[in-house]
Amino acid sequence: MSDKTIRVRFAPSPTGYLHLGGLRTALFNYLYARSQGGKIILRVEDTDQSRYIEGALENLLEVFRWLDIEFDEGPDIGGEYGPYIQSKRLDIYRTHLKRLISEGHAYRCFCPPERLQSVREEQQRAGKTPMYDRLCRSLDPQESLKRPLNEPFVVRLKIPLQGRIDFSDGIRGDLSFDVSEIDDQVLLKSDSYPTYHLANVIDDHLMGITDVIRGEEWLTSTPKHVHLYRCFGWEAPKFYHLPLLLNPDRTKLSKRQGDAAVKDYRAKGYLPEALINYTALLGWHPSDDREVFTKIELEKEFSIGRVSKAGAVFDVDKLNWINRQHLNKLSDEQFLEKAAEHLPSEIDFTSEKGMKLLQAVRERINNFKDIAVELKPFTGDRKLPDSGEAWEILQEQNVKELLHYLIEDIDESPEWNADIFKELVKKAGKKAGVKGKSLWIPVRIALTGDMHGPELGLIAEILGKEKLLILVQETLEIL
C-alpha cells in the first residue's frame, strides 16, 4: 500500500433524492476509505442550477444519518453547510479557467444554440457522432477577447486533434480512447457556472483526492478529465468505475423496477444495516461465501480489488432475505424499538398476548411495512372471497356442515386457548367426515379470508371465542 493517505469523495448533485445507485457509490467510497485507514469527503456538486431541487441536500444528509455513514470532511451535518459546496467556489474555478485559456488549452465559443443544433442534425444525417465542429477554436485571440463584451459564450476544452488518451482503471485495466471520438467539452456555461468536468477535476486536485470511485456512466468522460489533469500539469487520481446496476432481465436498473430512493426503502421498513449489507454485495464479493455482514465487518472485509466489471443484478428477493437475517438478530426489545412507527398503537406488544403476536409476526415479515398485513388475521378484519380457489373450497361438500359443528362445539366450550381450539376443530371435522387440508383450510378461510397465514391456533386464541364465533357465522351466511 502507498505511503500516501487514501482520500476519496462522494460528490452528489442536489437534483433529487439519493437512489440505490448513488448509495452504492457512496458506500464503496466509504468502505474503501475505512478499509485503508483513509478519509472520505462529502462534496455537493451544484453548479447545474437549473436542476437544483429544494430540500435535496437536507434529505441526503438525513439519509446518511439514518445509515450511520459518517464523512470525515464536507458539509457540516448540523446544518451550516461548510466549504465543499461547489457554487461557493466559483472564483476558484474561474481563476483556473483563465489559466487554461491563457496557456492555449481552452477557448471561448460564441456559437448560438441554433447553430449547434443544426450542426448536430447534419452530422446525424451523415451517420456521424454528433460533436462540436470547432468553428470557434480558430478565432483570432484578440477577437475572442472583445466579443464577450456583447455576446454570450461558453468556454471549451481543446482536445488534441490526433492521437489517443490512455489511462488505467483499477477495475477495467488499461484503457485507450481515440481523440477523434472525444468532443471539445464545455468547461464554462453561458451562465458563468462551470460544468461538472471542470469543477470536478479542480476540486479533486485541490482536495487531494487519491482515488475516484464512481459509476460506469462516467467512463467515457474520463479521457477528458485525464486530459485536463495533463493541461494543468497535475497527477491524476486512480480511477475505479463501478459496474452498472441491472434488472433481472439485464436491462439498466430504473426507478420503476427497483432503483427507488433510499428514503422509500426506509419508509417500507427495511433496516439500515440490511440495506447497507445488500448494497455492498452489488458488484463486490467477499473473500468467502458469506453474505450477511454488519457495517463494521464490511469495513474490515471490503477490498476494491474484488469489485467486478460485470453488471450487478438488483434482486428484491435477495434484499428481503438479507433484511430477514438482520431482523432475526434483534431481541424482542430491539425489534419493538425499531418497528415502533409501524406498530398499531392499540396493541400492547409487551403483554403476554402481545408477545405471542410479536413472535408470530416476526417469523413472516420481510420488512416492517409487512407488519400491518401480517396482523390482519389477528384482528378479524378480513374479507371473505367471492371467487377463485378459496371460494371454491368453501363450496366443497361438508364445509357448511363442518362450520355448523364448529360453532356448536366452540359455543359449548367453557375454556379457550390455542390448543383447545385445535381440538374443537378436529372434533367438528370428525363429525363432518373431513380431515387434513379439507378440514383446516376451510376453517382458515372462514377466520382470515385467506388460504395461508400464521399459525391458526394462535389466531383463534388472540381473536377470542366471541369474535371467532361471529366470523364463522358470517361465513355460513354467505354459503
Side-chain angles (χ1 to χ4, degrees):
M1 186 170 63
S2 170
D3 293 335
K4 186 185 292 186
T5 299
I6 295 295
R7 286 173 65 84
V8 298
R9 49 49 167 194
F10 178 57
S13 299
T15 55
Y17 295 123
L18 182 70
H19 281 241
L20 197 63
L23 172 58
R24 199 266 303 263
T25 299
L27 180 61
F28 279 27
N29 276 280
Y30 173 86
L31 294 176
Y32 181 57
R34 292 293 177 263
S35 69
Q36 299 295 309
K39 293 186 179 296
I40 179 170
I41 292 168
L42 178 62
R43 184 174 74 222
V44 178
E45 301 194 335
D46 63 340
T47 58
D48 189 347
Q49 294 288 293
S50 66
R51 298 179 62 217
Y52 179 83
I53 293 180
E54 193 70 36
L57 178 55
E58 290 77 5
N59 172 263
L60 181 80
L61 297 175
E62 172 56 30
V63 163
F64 285 126
R65 276 195 292 267
W66 176 65
L67 293 169
D68 192 30
I69 291 178
E70 296 182 348
F71 295 88
D72 300 304
E73 298 177 30
D76 180 73
I77 299 300
E80 194 60 40
Y81 303 127
Y84 304 139
I85 303 287
Q86 286 190 333
S87 60
K88 295 184 178 182
R89 298 167 57 81
L90 298 183
D91 288 344
I92 295 173
Y93 310 133
R94 289 169 186 150
T95 297
H96 284 80
L97 189 64
K98 287 178 182 177
R99 175 185 162 189
L100 288 175
I101 296 173
S102 67
E103 294 179 358
H105 298 302
Y107 62 97
R108 297 179 186 88
C109 173
F110 300 93
C111 293
E114 297 78 15
R115 181 184 182 278
L116 296 175
Q117 180 64 26
S118 175
V119 168
R120 279 194 294 268
E121 291 174 355
E122 185 176 335
Q123 290 171 334
Q124 287 173 332
R125 283 194 294 269
K128 298 179 180 179
T129 302
M131 297 173 65
Y132 179 54
D133 63 358
R134 294 167 170 163
L135 176 68
C136 293
R137 183 162 168 155
S138 57
L139 280 178
D140 178 79
Q142 292 304 313
E143 181 183 353
S144 178
L145 281 172
K146 292 177 182 177
R147 288 176 65 174
L149 298 174
N150 302 305
E151 293 181 60
F153 68 94
V154 299
V155 176
R156 293 180 179 271
L157 175 65
K158 278 187 180 178
I159 295 294
L161 298 179
Q162 292 182 325
R164 305 185 71 84
I165 296 177
D166 305 326
F167 63 93
S168 179
D169 183 278
I171 295 173
R172 297 159 197 283
D174 293 335
L175 299 172
S176 181
F177 291 78
D178 193 307
V179 295
S180 65
E181 297 296 320
I182 303 175
D183 204 356
D184 278 10
Q185 182 67 51
V186 173
L187 300 179
L188 185 77
K189 296 172 289 186
S190 58
D191 63 2
S192 296
Y193 274 82
T195 61
Y196 165 84
H197 305 279
L198 179 68
N200 169 275
V201 166
I202 292 173
D203 280 346
D204 280 351
H205 172 72
L206 297 181
M207 295 175 188
I209 301 303
T210 60
D211 301 76
V212 170
I213 303 171
R214 59 191 179 189
E216 182 181 310
E217 64 272 19
W218 293 110
L219 191 60
T220 55
S221 296
T222 306
K224 303 170 189 177
H225 301 167
V226 169
H227 181 62
L228 257 177
Y229 278 105
R230 293 171 182 169
C231 291
F232 282 120
W234 297 337
E235 180 184 354
K238 181 115 186 210
F239 295 101
Y240 302 86
H241 288 90
L242 305 176
L244 290 174
L245 297 184
L246 305 174
N247 297 303
D249 63 2
R250 310 299 294 185
T251 57
K252 186 177 179 181
L253 186 63
S254 64
K255 180 179 178 181
R256 182 176 62 83
Q257 293 179 278
D259 191 21
V262 174
K263 71 179 184 67
D264 294 332
Y265 289 104
R266 181 181 184 179
K268 291 175 184 177
Y270 287 96
L271 291 169
E273 51 267 41
L275 190 58
I276 285 176
N277 186 166
Y278 178 69
T279 303
L281 298 176
L282 292 173
W284 169 81
H285 60 89
S287 57
D288 53 25
D289 294 333
R290 186 178 173 192
E291 294 183 297
V292 180
F293 294 88
T294 65
K295 182 164 71 71
I296 292 176
E297 289 169 340
L298 284 170
E299 291 173 12
K300 296 176 181 177
E301 174 71 13
F302 186 81
S303 167
I304 196 72
R306 291 200 296 273
V307 174
S308 170
K309 68 176 70 172
V313 175
F314 173 83
D315 182 353
V316 70
D317 291 333
K318 186 64 171 291
L319 170 60
N320 288 335
W321 180 84
I322 286 179
N323 198 60
R324 284 198 301 272
Q325 306 315 302
H326 285 274
L327 286 172
N328 292 340
K329 292 181 179 180
L330 300 176
S331 66
D332 288 340
E333 292 73 19
Q334 291 171 324
F335 185 94
L336 286 174
E337 179 183 354
K338 291 178 180 289
E341 63 184 276
H342 300 276
L343 297 174
S345 57
E346 63 270 19
I347 298 176
D348 178 10
F349 285 93
T350 63
S351 67
E352 182 181 352
K353 179 178 177 180
M355 290 301 290
K356 287 184 178 181
L357 260 181
L358 181 65
Q359 292 301 327
V361 167
R362 285 193 61 165
E363 293 173 0
R364 298 182 58 82
I365 66 169
N366 289 319
N367 53 63
F368 293 138
K369 194 79 170 179
D370 291 342
I371 289 176
V373 175
E374 295 300 328
L375 280 177
K376 275 193 172 184
F378 298 98
T379 64
D381 179 22
R382 60 97 167 95
K383 180 181 179 181
L384 288 170
D386 54 13
S387 61
E389 186 180 359
W391 172 248
E392 292 173 2
I393 288 174
L394 289 180
Q395 302 301 306
E396 290 178 357
Q397 187 178 5
N398 297 343
V399 168
K400 288 181 68 173
E401 188 179 6
L402 166 65
L403 297 182
H404 275 297
Y405 285 131
L406 187 57
I407 287 177
E408 292 175 1
D409 293 338
I410 290 173
D411 197 37
E412 293 173 0
S413 177
E415 298 181 0
W416 190 251
N417 59 40
D419 291 334
I420 290 173
F421 166 76
K422 286 187 280 190
E423 289 302 318
L424 293 174
V425 172
K426 292 176 185 177
K427 182 179 177 182
K430 194 171 185 179
K431 292 178 182 177
V434 293
K435 59 183 179 180
K437 291 183 178 180
S438 297
L439 168 61
W440 293 101
I441 292 182
V443 174
R444 179 179 291 279
I445 295 171
L447 299 186
T448 69
D450 202 343
M451 295 170 57
H452 309 283
E455 203 274 313
L456 199 54
L458 181 60
I459 292 175
E461 183 175 324
I462 297 295
L463 285 174
K465 179 177 174 179
E466 300 305 319
K467 179 64 176 178
L468 189 142
L469 284 171
I470 291 172
L471 294 174
V472 178
Q473 185 60 49
E474 288 176 351
T475 306
L476 274 171
E477 289 172 1
I478 69 166
L479 297 181

